[in-house]
Amino acid sequence: MDTSERFFPVEDVFKMQYLEQYVQSVVHYSSRYNNQLNYCYSPTNLLGKYEKYPSYGDFPEAYFLRSYGKWWRYSGSAQKEYRPQDFDLLNAEDFVTLEFGSAVVPREVFIYEVYNPGAVIRIWGRLSSDTKWHLLWEGFPQKCAATSRKFTPPLRKINSLINILRIEFNQSHLDYHTAIDGVLLCGYQPRTIIKFELIRRGLTQNKLATSSNSATVGYWETNRNCVTLNDKLAFDYINLLPNEIILKVFQCLDLKSLSRCAQVNRRWNKLAQDQTLYRNISLKIYWYLVNEQTLDFFINKIQNVKKLDLSWCNQYQISFNKRLDYDYHCKILSLLEESSRTITHLSMNDNYFVDSDVLNKIVCCKELTELRLHHTFNWIRWPKDQLTKLVTLDLSITNIIDEDLIQILMANPNLEHLVLDLCEHLFMMNSVVETVTLFNKKLKTWSSWKTDSLTSDAVRKFSLCSNLEELDLGWCLLDSVPGDSLAEIANGCKRLKRLILSQWRGATDQSLMPIIISCKDLTQLDLIGIKNISSELCEKALFRLPKLRLLDISFCDGVRQEEVAIWRQQYPHITIQRSCEHTVTDYM
Amino acid sequence: MHSLFVTGRLISRALFNGIHNFSTATDPKLQQKTEPHLVSAVCGFSKERRIQRLVKGQFGDDAWFSAKYKSTDVLGVADGVGGWRSYGIDPGEFSFHLMKTCERLVKLGRFAPTNPSELLASSYYELLHNKKAILGSSTACVVFLNRENSTLYTANIGDSGFMVVRRGRVVRRSEEQQHYFNTPFQLSLPPPGYRADVLSDRPESASSDNFPVEDGDVILVATDGVFDNLPQNIILNELIKCQGERCASRLQMVANSIAWMARSLSFDETFISPFAERAFANGINTIGGKPDDITVILATVAI
């Protein structure tokens, strides 16, 4: 890299103070293991100094991501790529955005990983008053040994101030949840306001003779190095091709390449803006570039759009520029309005700008079959108007209330996949389940992780959904007794493939046995924290379920570690999870 | 001319103010007045006579913590209910984790500085959401000293408690909450299925109290092992000794002596302990101390 050779660190020019700081606040995150108010496993555990490092284990004092491995992607409710040609090579699945007390020119970042390390793939940095993200590091996910790790990636050398870090994860290669205990940002802090402003505005650039901005490639930026035309071969064969062929080729290109093609010549420019190329749009992997101009560009081309993914596109969320905020919000509204006639798939996960206005526009898109609003928290009430063709609905980590949810369920008889994880405003899950059994006979996936208003009577009603394939009821029955509800489910839902019963502390061998006898298609069974189950039950599950691939018996005190070791040898095709917190002595 | 006069006056005022502020800032008495805090010492014994593995924050089934966050000093004790041993559950675990969680919440600042019962409640719900099921039940007593208004905020569930002594008199003492004799109110996380048979009080049912404290006040936070075995006048005699004590090691000596007296008397089979008196009042004829785990946290308010 020629830029790095010419790099001239700003701290050599100015006298600056070296500063080490831990996280001051958590701005945003896409994944959470626990409810908002709990500190166990929550993102707020990243605040301040690390607590558990260098211990290694499943500690409630660290930040846990909700998913791991490929198991969540196998799920029927998982999102299929809307525009497969726009893929992220590193495949970022989750992120967390952290704010630090003082802005520094970053030189080192330490990430304290205390359980299953190796999931960090990218680190971004930004100044809260600015909108530009700087890529500090990226790299492939790593296979690491099972020890805690202080991860110090080699950062790109930049001379920009940063007080916000965004860490992206790809945990698809991990055997179990990853956990992070703390993040330390080290760098140089300008001592005076003048120096601060000089660095912030990049006025040191001339002096330092460097182009530190090469980190982020502009969206519509010209990349002149690509076009090295040899004069002797200047005859343009491609220009002989008819438009249809060129369009066909263009259809296979990702947005970045399309934008480059648009700069070749007038004809290509016109073709690259053809509406047919933008049937499916996914801006998720370009989240750091999407601004109101980007949306503006799409507004004219979106009349025939089928699938639209605006997840993570939160460009201005942390900046304090209300005007930009407002403009961007308006663009989203008009984008939805333009696409409302044809759009069938819409995903706006972790999008800060989803509020009641945006929701009102969304419910006007009558053709929608898939709607994903994971972790959108700026709305409370669902609009009166209803969608009627939904097949997939993801409302995890939202403020949806029972009454509105029931209305949605009643209006959408074709619903197959419903995700309600961590919805803390659902207090009458029993009536929700009852509505599902009456109106949504086609339901295949039900996921209600950590919604604790569910009772065993309601669980019993799931037996009426005979098409059910996936049932995630983790942490739902913390301290009540399931009774015969599992036997009923075993009777009614013969097609069950995935069953998550984490922390059903009242379940016993007897209540679980019918599931193992009748549900022969079961591939994933999660029994975390059920103290009462014995090793005989696990053995039967391993032996009798021919399709079983994942059995999670972490924190099941009734099963001994030695037995698990034997089973792992006996059933090599089955992943047996056995996570343990370390004993009390580790507290010291 | 006029403007020059005004400027001159402003400058001289600013100078005077600067000097004035400087002189008050160095005044040691004034500076201390803004910072009341607790000086504390801890002592305790496990009921078991044989020496056990020592873990910080735990004496047998009892547990304690002390922590501070910004303008609040926090002390707490909890006593695990021993009846769980027959169910194969370690009673110390619940109380220990309850206190550990309280400590952590305080250190993170996730509590209301005027509402200790809320701290108990949120700590209890944290335990419920731990992957590792921590079962059992416990009494608990948490004391906050809010430095901003020099007020003590307390919350108490069950028969652990606190006592505040000022100039030789008991000015405040916690009330015991009991369902019936020898069965205190308790926070519990029973194994599922036992819920109906187990006494379980809501964390919100803690009795809360608040009152202003003065310089030199002595605060004793202890489990029932102390209050059941030591009559109030004996405790009082000891506490008077450390009225206004600022030295942590001398405070530690008093804490040691209270804990040691409680321990000796708990194994004294002829002593008429407060526990024996209450048993007698309930028609149970017993005599002697009540062997129990003992935890004493002693603190003085230094203003």
Side-chain angles (χ1 to χ4, degrees):
Chain A
M1 288 276 287
D2 53 342
T3 49
S4 63
E5 279 166 27
R6 281 191 279 122
F7 181 75
F8 214 119
V10 69
E11 62 264 26
D12 292 355
V13 181
F14 293 143
K15 262 210 155 29
M16 290 166 77
Q17 190 182 2
Y18 191 70
L19 199 67
E20 299 183 343
Q21 44 186 343
Y22 290 100
V23 182
Q24 192 183 49
S25 66
V26 178
V27 181
H28 203 43
Y29 50 83
S30 67
S31 177
R32 185 172 75 191
Y33 189 86
N34 211 336
N35 288 333
Q36 185 132 38
L37 288 174
N38 289 103
Y39 87 77
C40 299
Y41 316 109
S42 83
T44 51
N45 288 333
L46 293 171
L47 301 188
K49 201 179 172 206
Y50 56 87
E51 284 175 64
K52 280 294 162 189
Y53 181 82
S55 309
Y56 179 79
D58 197 334
F59 303 116
E61 290 89 348
Y63 168 47
F64 272 74
L65 296 170
R66 166 83 170 84
S67 60
Y68 65 88
K70 296 197 159 46
W71 306 107
W72 272 261
R73 225 179 297 162
Y74 291 156
S75 164
S77 61
Q79 183 175 352
K80 311 283 177 293
E81 289 299 328
Y82 288 177
R83 191 180 164 93
Q85 56 267 48
D86 274 302
F87 66 97
D88 177 8
L89 195 61
L90 300 178
N91 194 11
E93 291 173 328
D94 287 302
F95 69 85
V96 62
T97 312
L98 308 166
E99 190 171 2
F100 293 83
S102 317
V104 292
V105 178
R107 288 296 172 250
E108 268 182 305
V109 171
F110 296 93
I111 299 171
Y112 296 89
E113 300 176 275
V114 290
Y115 202 47
N116 293 306
V120 177
I121 51 156
R122 258 193 210 106
I123 302 173
W124 299 87
R126 183 186 135 168
L127 191 66
S128 55
S129 54
D130 210 349
T131 56
K132 186 183 165 73
W133 285 96
H134 304 274
L135 182 64
L136 297 178
W137 174 81
E138 64 178 350
F140 283 99
Q142 296 146 349
K143 268 272 177 210
C144 298
T147 52
S148 58
R149 172 171 89 141
K150 184 162 84 171
F151 184 45
T152 49
L155 296 191
R156 269 179 211 240
K157 300 212 174 343
I158 60 163
N159 281 332
S160 309
L161 286 164
I162 270 167
N163 67 344
I164 286 171
L165 278 187
R166 172 173 158 131
I167 301 170
E168 291 184 357
F169 304 94
N170 174 358
Q171 60 270 41
S172 60
H173 66 299
L174 292 182
D175 298 328
Y176 207 56
H177 299 276
T178 189
I180 296 180
D181 203 6
V183 178
L184 180 68
L185 172 65
C186 308
Y188 290 93
Q189 184 192 24
R191 283 191 179 150
T192 58
I193 295 175
I194 297 173
K195 281 179 193 167
F196 182 92
E197 283 298 318
L198 277 176
I199 300 171
R200 188 176 79 78
R201 290 160 197 251
L203 295 176
T204 56
Q205 299 297 327
N206 299 337
K207 199 170 177 181
L208 300 175
T210 174
S211 57
S212 64
N213 292 341
S214 60
T216 42
V217 181
Y219 191 43
W220 308 110
E221 179 190 306
T222 325
N223 197 337
R224 293 186 194 283
N225 300 340
C226 291
V227 193
T228 48
L229 276 181
N230 194 327
D231 279 342
K232 285 173 188 166
L233 298 170
F235 187 72
D236 185 1
Y237 291 101
I238 297 172
N239 234 350
L240 297 177
L241 293 174
N243 285 353
E244 288 76 11
I245 302 288
I246 293 179
L247 274 181
K248 195 78 192 162
V249 175
F250 277 6
Q251 268 168 13
C252 307
L253 295 180
D254 62 352
L255 288 175
K256 216 169 209 166
S257 313
L258 266 182
S259 70
R260 281 179 192 153
C261 292
Q263 287 159 345
V264 170
N265 57 32
R266 246 178 227 157
R267 184 177 169 220
W268 279 35
N269 185 290
K270 203 168 164 234
L271 286 174
Q273 302 205 22
D274 197 275
Q275 278 190 18
T276 52
L277 298 174
Y278 303 101
R279 288 262 164 79
N280 303 326
I281 301 170
S282 174
L283 296 177
K284 181 178 168 183
I285 68 164
Y286 305 110
W287 60 267
Y288 55 99
L289 297 165
V290 175
N291 55 20
E292 66 275 5
Q293 278 118 36
T294 324
L295 297 185
D296 221 13
F297 172 83
F298 284 112
I299 284 174
N300 306 318
K301 299 167 186 60
I302 206 165
Q303 275 82 9
N304 291 317
V305 76
K306 291 270 183 247
K307 300 178 181 180
L308 177 61
D309 191 342
L310 290 176
S311 304
W312 296 12
C313 299
N314 284 325
Q315 178 70 309
Y316 301 121
Q317 186 211 331
I318 325 159
S319 72
F320 302 101
N321 195 333
K322 287 274 175 280
R323 195 186 59 79
L324 287 176
D325 243 26
Y326 177 76
D327 287 354
Y328 189 71
H329 185 235
C330 291
K331 292 290 178 219
I332 290 185
L333 286 180
S334 34
L335 198 67
L336 288 172
E337 195 168 316
E338 286 298 320
S339 56
S340 63
R341 272 189 312 109
T342 53
I343 189 165
T344 58
H345 292 59
L346 178 65
S347 170
M348 297 186 84
N349 298 336
D350 305 291
N351 197 321
Y352 175 79
F353 292 92
V354 177
D355 58 4
S356 41
D357 293 340
V358 172
L359 268 192
N360 276 322
K361 290 279 181 254
I362 290 176
V363 293
C364 295
C365 306
K366 292 296 176 198
E367 298 300 315
L368 271 185
T369 58
E370 176 169 311
L371 179 59
R372 294 179 185 278
L373 298 172
H374 165 85
H375 198 203
T376 52
F377 44 83
N378 281 333
W379 55 276
I380 297 168
R381 291 307 298 264
W382 192 263
K384 285 260 175 311
D385 219 8
Q386 284 298 347
L387 297 165
T388 52
K389 296 185 178 171
L390 284 178
V391 176
T392 305
L393 181 62
D394 183 349
L395 292 173
S396 45
I397 329 190
T398 57
N399 298 327
I400 185 93
I401 62 167
D402 307 277
E403 203 182 312
D404 293 347
L405 181 61
I406 288 172
Q407 293 297 325
I408 297 171
L409 292 173
M410 285 164 72
N412 291 284
N414 294 324
L415 200 67
E416 286 180 14
H417 308 288
L418 182 62
V419 184
L420 301 169
D421 297 344
L422 295 160
C423 289
E424 289 168 52
H425 293 250
L426 293 176
F427 299 109
M428 302 183 298
M429 282 304 268
N430 294 356
S431 18
V432 174
V433 176
E434 203 169 330
T435 319
V436 165
T437 55
L438 290 175
F439 293 90
N440 311 96
K441 293 284 182 198
K442 293 182 183 171
L443 197 74
K444 284 184 183 165
T445 310
W446 167 279
S447 181
S448 63
W449 175 264
K450 288 243 178 197
T451 45
D452 41 16
S453 60
L454 208 65
T455 65
S456 54
D457 285 337
V459 173
R460 190 177 291 128
K461 293 211 178 81
F462 278 117
S463 58
L464 298 172
C465 299
S466 54
N467 291 317
L468 216 54
E469 288 174 5
E470 297 177 24
L471 193 55
D472 182 343
L473 301 172
W475 296 81
C476 288
L477 290 191
L478 265 185
D479 50 2
S480 48
V481 183
D484 65 340
S485 55
L486 286 174
E488 291 277 327
I489 288 180
N491 251 331
C493 318
K494 299 273 186 211
R495 297 185 196 169
L496 219 51
K497 284 181 185 160
R498 182 178 202 226
L499 184 62
I500 295 182
L501 304 174
S502 312
Q503 300 291 348
W504 279 40
R505 293 178 185 164
T508 56
D509 283 9
Q510 208 185 352
S511 54
L512 283 163
M513 213 46 216
I515 295 276
I516 292 169
I517 294 170
S518 336
C519 302
K520 289 291 173 203
D521 285 344
L522 220 53
T523 56
Q524 295 179 39
L525 185 60
D526 183 328
L527 306 172
I528 299 178
I530 305 182
K531 280 197 166 193
N532 300 333
I533 58 166
S534 66
S535 36
E536 287 92 69
L537 179 96
C538 298
E539 219 160 0
K540 273 180 191 147
L542 292 166
F543 182 69
R544 288 198 170 193
L545 297 171
K547 293 182 181 169
L548 195 68
R549 291 295 170 268
L550 176 69
L551 178 68
D552 196 334
I553 44 172
S554 308
F555 297 95
C556 296
D557 298 350
V559 184
R560 280 185 296 125
Q561 197 65 38
E562 303 87 70
E563 292 170 307
V564 177
I566 297 170
W567 295 335
R568 279 184 181 148
Q569 284 186 347
Q570 268 181 327
Y571 304 95
H573 59 288
I574 300 176
T575 312
I576 303 173
Q577 301 291 5
R578 179 80 175 168
S579 171
C580 293
E581 191 184 356
H582 287 231
T583 46
V584 174
T585 42
D586 283 338
Y587 271 99
M588 297 309 106
Chain B
M1 189 61 208
H2 176 70
S3 68
L4 187 69
F5 173 68
V6 172
T7 329
R9 201 167 61 175
L10 280 177
I11 289 173
S12 63
R13 265 194 197 169
L15 265 176
F16 176 75
N17 275 341
I19 292 163
H20 183 71
N21 285 341
F22 181 70
S23 65
T24 51
T26 49
D27 191 337
K29 268 185 192 164
L30 278 169
Q31 206 179 16
Q32 269 192 2
K33 194 145 207 162
T34 54
E35 271 289 285
H37 60 281
L38 288 179
V39 183
S40 64
V42 186
C43 186
F45 294 101
S46 167
K47 177 166 62 177
E48 303 293 325
R49 281 179 181 257
R50 63 197 155 80
I51 293 171
Q52 292 181 317
R53 187 168 51 97
L54 274 175
V55 175
K56 189 180 175 245
Q58 196 174 24
F59 296 113
D61 299 343
D62 287 4
W64 62 273
F65 79 99
S66 74
K68 64 175 72 167
Y69 178 77
K70 285 185 180 164
S71 62
T72 314
D73 284 337
V74 184
L75 305 172
V77 293
D79 177 9
V81 173
W84 287 108
R85 201 163 272 125
S86 53
Y87 292 84
I89 293 168
D90 176 10
E93 202 177 36
F94 184 81
S95 55
F96 180 69
H97 280 97
L98 189 72
M99 290 293 104
K100 273 285 160 207
T101 314
C102 282
E103 182 178 1
R104 213 184 117 82
L105 289 172
V106 171
K107 281 182 177 165
L108 288 173
R110 297 186 66 166
F111 67 105
T114 55
N115 193 350
S117 61
E118 193 186 288
L119 176 69
L120 277 180
S122 50
S123 177
Y124 172 79
Y125 291 118
E126 287 302 336
L127 287 189
L128 195 64
H129 283 278
N130 199 321
K131 278 195 219 176
K132 180 181 171 161
I134 297 157
L135 305 176
S137 49
S138 168
T139 70
C141 178
V142 178
V143 174
F144 286 7
L145 172 71
N146 192 330
R147 296 190 212 168
E148 272 160 15
N149 52 7
S150 305
T151 306
L152 208 62
Y153 295 89
T154 64
N156 187 30
I157 291 188
D159 55 4
S160 296
F162 66 94
M163 188 189 251
V164 181
V165 173
R166 181 180 302 159
R167 290 188 285 277
R169 280 179 42 238
V170 178
V171 287
R172 202 60 77 113
R173 191 185 167 157
S174 59
E175 282 166 29
E176 279 185 10
Q177 293 172 303
Q178 286 198 336
H179 291 283
Y180 41 87
F181 175 64
N182 209 14
T183 309
F185 273 48
Q186 50 198 269
L187 290 173
S188 45
L189 276 180
Y194 290 96
R195 185 152 282 271
D197 321 328
V198 169
L199 284 172
S200 181
D201 301 290
R202 310 291 307 164
E204 292 80 9
S205 69
S207 75
S208 301
D209 196 0
N210 68 77
F211 56 96
V213 286
E214 290 175 13
D215 181 32
D217 282 1
V218 185
I219 304 164
L220 171 77
V221 186
T223 52
D224 58 341
V226 175
F227 295 114
D228 280 350
N229 289 309
L230 287 182
Q232 182 167 320
N233 58 343
I234 295 186
I235 301 179
L236 193 58
N237 280 340
E238 287 298 314
L239 293 186
I240 289 169
K241 289 180 194 166
C242 52
Q243 170 78 34
E245 187 59 70
R246 298 275 161 87
C247 171
S249 57
R250 262 173 283 168
L251 205 62
Q252 184 68 56
M253 281 161 60
V254 179
N256 292 354
S257 74
I258 292 175
W260 181 248
M261 273 196 296
R263 181 170 168 82
S264 329
L265 287 175
S266 71
F267 289 109
D268 187 335
E269 283 167 12
T270 55
F271 174 63
I272 300 176
S273 62
F275 177 76
E277 283 173 20
R278 253 176 294 143
F280 192 72
N282 281 282
I284 301 165
N285 199 2
T286 178
I287 200 163
K290 177 193 172 198
D292 200 351
D293 302 310
I294 288 159
T295 304
V296 174
I297 305 183
L298 197 56
T300 53
V301 181
I303 293 181

